[in-house]
Short mmCIF file of all heavy atoms in Angstrom, two decimals:
data_model
loop_
_atom_site.label_atom_id
_atom_site.label_comp_id
_atom_site.label_asym_id
_atom_site.label_seq_id
_atom_site.Cartn_x
_atom_site.Cartn_y
_atom_site.Cartn_z
N ALA A 1 198.67 -11.84 -20.26
CA ALA A 1 197.98 -10.58 -20.02
C ALA A 1 196.67 -10.79 -19.27
O ALA A 1 196.32 -10.00 -18.38
CB ALA A 1 197.70 -9.86 -21.34
N GLY A 2 195.94 -11.86 -19.59
CA GLY A 2 194.62 -12.07 -19.01
C GLY A 2 194.61 -12.85 -17.71
O GLY A 2 193.89 -12.51 -16.78
N VAL A 3 195.43 -13.90 -17.65
CA VAL A 3 195.43 -14.78 -16.47
C VAL A 3 196.63 -14.48 -15.57
O VAL A 3 196.51 -14.55 -14.35
CB VAL A 3 195.45 -16.26 -16.90
CG1 VAL A 3 195.51 -17.19 -15.69
CG2 VAL A 3 194.23 -16.59 -17.76
N GLY A 4 197.76 -14.12 -16.17
CA GLY A 4 198.99 -13.90 -15.42
C GLY A 4 198.86 -12.99 -14.21
O GLY A 4 199.38 -13.32 -13.14
N PRO A 5 198.16 -11.86 -14.31
CA PRO A 5 198.06 -10.96 -13.15
C PRO A 5 197.17 -11.48 -12.02
O PRO A 5 197.28 -11.03 -10.90
CB PRO A 5 197.44 -9.68 -13.74
CG PRO A 5 197.65 -9.77 -15.20
CD PRO A 5 197.66 -11.24 -15.53
N LEU A 6 196.27 -12.43 -12.34
CA LEU A 6 195.34 -12.93 -11.33
C LEU A 6 196.05 -13.86 -10.35
O LEU A 6 197.09 -14.44 -10.66
CB LEU A 6 194.20 -13.70 -12.01
CG LEU A 6 193.35 -12.94 -13.02
CD1 LEU A 6 192.35 -13.88 -13.68
CD2 LEU A 6 192.64 -11.77 -12.36
N ASP A 7 195.46 -14.02 -9.17
CA ASP A 7 195.91 -15.06 -8.23
C ASP A 7 195.16 -16.32 -8.64
O ASP A 7 193.93 -16.38 -8.53
CB ASP A 7 195.56 -14.67 -6.79
CG ASP A 7 196.35 -13.48 -6.30
OD1 ASP A 7 197.37 -13.13 -6.91
OD2 ASP A 7 195.93 -12.88 -5.29
N THR A 8 195.88 -17.32 -9.14
CA THR A 8 195.24 -18.50 -9.69
C THR A 8 195.82 -19.80 -9.16
O THR A 8 196.96 -19.84 -8.66
CB THR A 8 195.35 -18.54 -11.24
OG1 THR A 8 196.72 -18.69 -11.59
CG2 THR A 8 194.77 -17.30 -11.88
N SER A 9 195.04 -20.83 -9.32
CA SER A 9 195.49 -22.20 -9.06
C SER A 9 194.85 -23.09 -10.11
O SER A 9 193.62 -23.20 -10.16
CB SER A 9 195.09 -22.64 -7.66
OG SER A 9 195.42 -24.01 -7.47
N HIS A 10 195.65 -23.69 -10.97
CA HIS A 10 195.19 -24.62 -11.99
C HIS A 10 195.64 -26.02 -11.56
O HIS A 10 196.82 -26.34 -11.65
CB HIS A 10 195.78 -24.28 -13.35
CG HIS A 10 195.27 -23.01 -13.94
ND1 HIS A 10 195.61 -21.77 -13.45
CD2 HIS A 10 194.42 -22.79 -14.97
CE1 HIS A 10 195.00 -20.84 -14.17
NE2 HIS A 10 194.27 -21.43 -15.09
N SER A 11 194.71 -26.80 -11.04
CA SER A 11 195.03 -28.14 -10.54
C SER A 11 194.50 -29.19 -11.49
O SER A 11 193.29 -29.27 -11.73
CB SER A 11 194.41 -28.34 -9.15
OG SER A 11 194.91 -27.38 -8.25
N LEU A 12 195.40 -29.99 -12.04
CA LEU A 12 195.03 -31.04 -12.98
C LEU A 12 194.92 -32.37 -12.25
O LEU A 12 195.75 -32.69 -11.39
CB LEU A 12 196.07 -31.15 -14.09
CG LEU A 12 196.38 -29.87 -14.85
CD1 LEU A 12 197.43 -30.14 -15.93
CD2 LEU A 12 195.13 -29.26 -15.45
N SER A 13 193.89 -33.13 -12.60
CA SER A 13 193.73 -34.45 -11.98
C SER A 13 193.13 -35.42 -13.00
O SER A 13 192.66 -35.03 -14.06
CB SER A 13 192.81 -34.35 -10.76
OG SER A 13 191.49 -33.99 -11.14
N ASN A 14 193.15 -36.69 -12.62
CA ASN A 14 192.56 -37.76 -13.42
C ASN A 14 193.09 -37.77 -14.86
O ASN A 14 192.32 -37.93 -15.81
CB ASN A 14 191.03 -37.67 -13.44
CG ASN A 14 190.43 -37.78 -12.06
OD1 ASN A 14 191.12 -38.06 -11.08
ND2 ASN A 14 189.14 -37.55 -11.96
N LEU A 15 194.41 -37.59 -15.01
CA LEU A 15 195.00 -37.61 -16.34
C LEU A 15 194.88 -39.00 -16.94
O LEU A 15 195.29 -39.99 -16.32
CB LEU A 15 196.48 -37.22 -16.29
CG LEU A 15 196.78 -35.72 -16.31
CD1 LEU A 15 196.48 -35.08 -14.98
CD2 LEU A 15 198.20 -35.48 -16.73
N ARG A 16 194.29 -39.05 -18.12
CA ARG A 16 194.22 -40.28 -18.91
C ARG A 16 194.99 -40.01 -20.18
O ARG A 16 194.66 -39.10 -20.93
CB ARG A 16 192.76 -40.65 -19.18
CG ARG A 16 192.07 -41.05 -17.88
CD ARG A 16 190.57 -40.92 -17.82
NE ARG A 16 189.87 -40.02 -18.69
CZ ARG A 16 189.61 -38.72 -18.40
NH1 ARG A 16 190.05 -38.18 -17.30
NH2 ARG A 16 188.90 -37.98 -19.23
N ILE A 17 196.02 -40.79 -20.42
CA ILE A 17 196.98 -40.51 -21.49
C ILE A 17 197.01 -41.69 -22.45
O ILE A 17 197.24 -42.82 -22.05
CB ILE A 17 198.39 -40.28 -20.90
CG1 ILE A 17 198.36 -39.11 -19.91
CG2 ILE A 17 199.41 -40.06 -22.02
CD1 ILE A 17 199.63 -38.97 -19.09
N ASP A 18 196.77 -41.37 -23.73
CA ASP A 18 196.89 -42.37 -24.79
C ASP A 18 198.06 -41.95 -25.68
O ASP A 18 198.06 -40.84 -26.22
CB ASP A 18 195.60 -42.42 -25.63
CG ASP A 18 194.40 -42.89 -24.83
OD1 ASP A 18 194.53 -43.89 -24.10
OD2 ASP A 18 193.34 -42.24 -24.92
N VAL A 19 199.02 -42.84 -25.84
CA VAL A 19 200.23 -42.55 -26.62
C VAL A 19 200.25 -43.42 -27.86
O VAL A 19 200.04 -44.64 -27.77
CB VAL A 19 201.51 -42.81 -25.80
CG1 VAL A 19 202.75 -42.47 -26.60
CG2 VAL A 19 201.48 -42.07 -24.48
N THR A 20 200.51 -42.80 -29.02
CA THR A 20 200.72 -43.53 -30.27
C THR A 20 201.96 -42.93 -30.92
O THR A 20 201.90 -41.82 -31.46
CB THR A 20 199.51 -43.38 -31.21
OG1 THR A 20 198.34 -43.80 -30.52
CG2 THR A 20 199.69 -44.20 -32.47
N ALA A 21 203.06 -43.65 -30.81
CA ALA A 21 204.34 -43.20 -31.39
C ALA A 21 204.70 -41.81 -30.88
O ALA A 21 204.96 -41.66 -29.68
CB ALA A 21 204.31 -43.28 -32.91
N ASP A 22 204.68 -40.79 -31.75
CA ASP A 22 205.09 -39.44 -31.37
C ASP A 22 203.92 -38.49 -31.14
O ASP A 22 204.09 -37.27 -31.15
CB ASP A 22 206.03 -38.86 -32.44
CG ASP A 22 207.37 -39.57 -32.47
OD1 ASP A 22 207.75 -40.16 -31.44
OD2 ASP A 22 208.03 -39.54 -33.52
N THR A 23 202.73 -39.04 -30.95
CA THR A 23 201.56 -38.22 -30.63
C THR A 23 200.86 -38.79 -29.41
O THR A 23 201.00 -39.98 -29.10
CB THR A 23 200.56 -38.15 -31.81
OG1 THR A 23 200.04 -39.45 -32.05
CG2 THR A 23 201.20 -37.58 -33.05
N ALA A 24 200.11 -37.94 -28.73
CA ALA A 24 199.39 -38.39 -27.55
C ALA A 24 198.13 -37.56 -27.37
O ALA A 24 198.06 -36.42 -27.82
CB ALA A 24 200.27 -38.27 -26.31
N THR A 25 197.16 -38.14 -26.71
CA THR A 25 195.95 -37.44 -26.31
C THR A 25 195.84 -37.54 -24.80
O THR A 25 196.01 -38.62 -24.23
CB THR A 25 194.70 -38.05 -26.97
OG1 THR A 25 194.85 -38.00 -28.38
CG2 THR A 25 193.45 -37.31 -26.55
N VAL A 26 195.57 -36.39 -24.17
CA VAL A 26 195.36 -36.35 -22.72
C VAL A 26 193.94 -35.84 -22.47
O VAL A 26 193.51 -34.86 -23.07
CB VAL A 26 196.36 -35.40 -22.03
CG1 VAL A 26 196.05 -35.27 -20.55
CG2 VAL A 26 197.78 -35.87 -22.23
N ARG A 27 193.26 -36.52 -21.58
CA ARG A 27 191.97 -36.06 -21.07
C ARG A 27 192.13 -35.94 -19.57
O ARG A 27 192.63 -36.87 -18.93
CB ARG A 27 190.86 -37.03 -21.43
CG ARG A 27 190.55 -37.06 -22.91
CD ARG A 27 189.56 -38.17 -23.28
NE ARG A 27 189.42 -38.27 -24.71
CZ ARG A 27 190.26 -38.90 -25.53
NH1 ARG A 27 191.32 -39.51 -25.03
NH2 ARG A 27 190.07 -38.93 -26.82
N CYS A 28 191.73 -34.79 -19.02
CA CYS A 28 191.89 -34.60 -17.58
C CYS A 28 190.92 -33.56 -17.07
O CYS A 28 190.29 -32.84 -17.84
CB CYS A 28 193.32 -34.20 -17.23
SG CYS A 28 193.85 -32.59 -17.86
N ASN A 29 190.79 -33.51 -15.76
CA ASN A 29 190.04 -32.45 -15.10
C ASN A 29 191.00 -31.32 -14.77
O ASN A 29 192.15 -31.55 -14.42
CB ASN A 29 189.42 -32.96 -13.80
CG ASN A 29 188.37 -34.02 -14.04
OD1 ASN A 29 187.72 -34.04 -15.07
ND2 ASN A 29 188.20 -34.91 -13.08
N ALA A 30 190.48 -30.10 -14.84
CA ALA A 30 191.26 -28.92 -14.47
C ALA A 30 190.38 -28.07 -13.56
O ALA A 30 189.46 -27.41 -14.03
CB ALA A 30 191.69 -28.14 -15.69
N GLN A 31 190.65 -28.15 -12.26
CA GLN A 31 189.93 -27.28 -11.33
C GLN A 31 190.73 -26.00 -11.22
O GLN A 31 191.91 -26.01 -10.88
CB GLN A 31 189.76 -27.91 -9.96
CG GLN A 31 188.88 -27.07 -9.06
CD GLN A 31 188.50 -27.79 -7.78
OE1 GLN A 31 188.97 -28.88 -7.48
NE2 GLN A 31 187.64 -27.17 -7.01
N VAL A 32 190.07 -24.89 -11.54
CA VAL A 32 190.78 -23.63 -11.73
C VAL A 32 190.14 -22.55 -10.86
O VAL A 32 188.97 -22.23 -11.03
CB VAL A 32 190.75 -23.22 -13.21
CG1 VAL A 32 191.58 -21.98 -13.44
CG2 VAL A 32 191.24 -24.36 -14.10
N MET A 33 190.92 -21.99 -9.93
CA MET A 33 190.46 -20.92 -9.06
C MET A 33 191.14 -19.62 -9.48
O MET A 33 192.34 -19.59 -9.71
CB MET A 33 190.80 -21.22 -7.61
CG MET A 33 190.40 -20.13 -6.64
SD MET A 33 188.63 -19.81 -6.58
CE MET A 33 188.16 -20.94 -5.30
N HIS A 34 190.33 -18.57 -9.60
CA HIS A 34 190.84 -17.24 -9.96
C HIS A 34 190.37 -16.23 -8.93
O HIS A 34 189.18 -16.20 -8.60
CB HIS A 34 190.29 -16.79 -11.32
CG HIS A 34 190.59 -17.71 -12.45
ND1 HIS A 34 189.82 -18.82 -12.74
CD2 HIS A 34 191.56 -17.67 -13.39
CE1 HIS A 34 190.32 -19.42 -13.80
NE2 HIS A 34 191.37 -18.74 -14.22
N PHE A 35 191.28 -15.40 -8.46
CA PHE A 35 190.97 -14.25 -7.62
C PHE A 35 191.53 -13.01 -8.32
O PHE A 35 192.54 -13.10 -9.02
CB PHE A 35 191.63 -14.35 -6.24
CG PHE A 35 190.94 -15.29 -5.30
CD1 PHE A 35 191.34 -16.61 -5.21
CD2 PHE A 35 189.91 -14.85 -4.48
CE1 PHE A 35 190.71 -17.48 -4.34
CE2 PHE A 35 189.28 -15.71 -3.60
CZ PHE A 35 189.68 -17.04 -3.53
N PRO A 36 190.93 -11.84 -8.09
CA PRO A 36 191.55 -10.61 -8.62
C PRO A 36 192.98 -10.47 -8.08
O PRO A 36 193.31 -11.02 -7.02
CB PRO A 36 190.64 -9.50 -8.07
CG PRO A 36 189.31 -10.16 -7.87
CD PRO A 36 189.65 -11.57 -7.42
N PRO A 37 193.84 -9.75 -8.80
CA PRO A 37 195.24 -9.63 -8.39
C PRO A 37 195.41 -9.20 -6.94
O PRO A 37 194.79 -8.24 -6.49
CB PRO A 37 195.78 -8.55 -9.34
CG PRO A 37 194.90 -8.63 -10.54
CD PRO A 37 193.53 -9.00 -10.00
N GLY A 38 196.22 -9.97 -6.21
CA GLY A 38 196.55 -9.65 -4.82
C GLY A 38 195.49 -10.02 -3.80
O GLY A 38 195.72 -9.88 -2.61
N GLU A 39 194.34 -10.54 -4.24
CA GLU A 39 193.26 -10.84 -3.30
C GLU A 39 193.18 -12.30 -2.88
O GLU A 39 192.49 -12.63 -1.93
CB GLU A 39 191.92 -10.40 -3.90
CG GLU A 39 191.81 -8.90 -4.07
CD GLU A 39 190.43 -8.45 -4.54
OE1 GLU A 39 189.48 -9.25 -4.48
OE2 GLU A 39 190.32 -7.29 -4.98
N GLY A 40 193.89 -13.17 -3.56
CA GLY A 40 193.82 -14.60 -3.25
C GLY A 40 194.17 -14.94 -1.81
O GLY A 40 193.46 -15.72 -1.17
N PRO A 41 195.23 -14.36 -1.26
CA PRO A 41 195.62 -14.72 0.11
C PRO A 41 194.77 -14.08 1.21
O PRO A 41 194.92 -14.41 2.38
CB PRO A 41 197.07 -14.22 0.23
CG PRO A 41 197.51 -13.85 -1.13
CD PRO A 41 196.28 -13.60 -1.93
N ASP A 42 193.90 -13.15 0.87
CA ASP A 42 193.13 -12.41 1.87
C ASP A 42 191.82 -13.14 2.19
O ASP A 42 190.92 -13.19 1.35
CB ASP A 42 192.83 -11.00 1.33
CG ASP A 42 192.14 -10.11 2.35
OD1 ASP A 42 191.68 -10.62 3.40
OD2 ASP A 42 192.05 -8.90 2.09
N PRO A 43 191.68 -13.68 3.40
CA PRO A 43 190.47 -14.44 3.74
C PRO A 43 189.20 -13.58 3.74
O PRO A 43 188.10 -14.11 3.65
CB PRO A 43 190.75 -15.01 5.12
CG PRO A 43 191.88 -14.22 5.67
CD PRO A 43 192.63 -13.66 4.51
N ALA A 44 189.35 -12.27 3.81
CA ALA A 44 188.18 -11.39 3.78
C ALA A 44 187.65 -11.20 2.36
O ALA A 44 186.53 -10.73 2.17
CB ALA A 44 188.53 -10.03 4.40
N ARG A 45 188.45 -11.56 1.37
CA ARG A 45 188.05 -11.38 -0.02
C ARG A 45 187.43 -12.67 -0.53
O ARG A 45 188.07 -13.72 -0.50
CB ARG A 45 189.26 -11.00 -0.88
CG ARG A 45 190.01 -9.76 -0.41
CD ARG A 45 189.15 -8.54 -0.34
NE ARG A 45 188.75 -8.19 -1.69
CZ ARG A 45 187.98 -7.16 -1.99
NH1 ARG A 45 187.53 -6.38 -1.06
NH2 ARG A 45 187.66 -6.92 -3.24
N THR A 46 186.19 -12.60 -0.95
CA THR A 46 185.51 -13.81 -1.40
C THR A 46 185.12 -13.77 -2.87
O THR A 46 184.58 -14.73 -3.39
CB THR A 46 184.25 -14.07 -0.56
OG1 THR A 46 183.37 -12.95 -0.68
CG2 THR A 46 184.62 -14.31 0.90
N ARG A 47 185.38 -12.66 -3.55
CA ARG A 47 185.06 -12.57 -4.98
C ARG A 47 186.05 -13.44 -5.74
O ARG A 47 187.27 -13.24 -5.66
CB ARG A 47 185.14 -11.12 -5.44
CG ARG A 47 184.72 -10.93 -6.86
CD ARG A 47 184.60 -9.43 -7.19
NE ARG A 47 184.42 -9.29 -8.61
CZ ARG A 47 185.34 -8.78 -9.43
NH1 ARG A 47 186.48 -8.33 -8.95
NH2 ARG A 47 185.11 -8.72 -10.71
N HIS A 48 185.52 -14.39 -6.48
CA HIS A 48 186.37 -15.35 -7.18
C HIS A 48 185.63 -15.94 -8.37
O HIS A 48 184.43 -15.71 -8.55
CB HIS A 48 186.79 -16.49 -6.23
CG HIS A 48 185.61 -17.35 -5.83
ND1 HIS A 48 184.76 -16.99 -4.81
CD2 HIS A 48 185.14 -18.51 -6.34
CE1 HIS A 48 183.81 -17.91 -4.70
NE2 HIS A 48 184.02 -18.84 -5.61
#
């Protein structure tokens, strides 16, 4: 409801993964861009 309608890009990087049997911990960066619905592809729209 909150993020789905927006034009978004969630880019994960620098994943560091520690695994112990059936559990794991991940630490990573998440660069996240949000535009109002339908405005992401419009170069004239800069609100983000």
